Amino acid sequence: KNNPPSPRQTALNCLRSWHAGRSFAETLVDRECSRAALPPADRHLVQALVFSVLRNQTWLELHRQLQGNAFE
């Protein structure tokens, strides 16, 4: 039997699909949480993770670039 994806894996799936331009984040969260049959608490975690990453996307990208340049 396959284990259902964790909320963190579900959030990652949503972010990957969003990055690929497949749909709006809210639509992806609803679709992936329904597909994974997540309970309400886990759905809230997925939503918080996805929207936090998208809200802080510029900061995260800048941080990643600075980390990459630190060793050059």
Side-chain angles (χ1 to χ4, degrees):
K1 181 179 172 180
N2 291 338
N3 292 330
S6 71
R8 287 165 185 82
Q9 182 62 50
T10 301
L12 182 59
N13 293 344
C14 291
L15 289 166
R16 285 180 173 154
S17 293
W18 180 87
H19 184 72
R22 295 191 183 122
S23 193
F24 293 107
E26 185 173 352
T27 302
L28 292 166
V29 168
D30 288 342
R31 184 182 310 143
E32 290 296 322
C33 286
S34 292
R35 187 176 295 156
L38 295 177
D42 287 345
R43 287 175 179 257
H44 292 302
L45 177 58
V46 170
Q47 186 176 39
L49 290 169
V50 169
F51 291 133
S52 294
V53 168
L54 295 179
R55 186 172 41 254
N56 292 294
Q57 183 176 351
T58 302
W59 167 248
L60 293 167
E61 180 62 24
L62 177 62
H63 180 70
R64 187 187 65 79
Q65 288 177 359
L66 290 174
Q67 291 294 321
N69 294 335
F71 298 105
E72 292 181 353

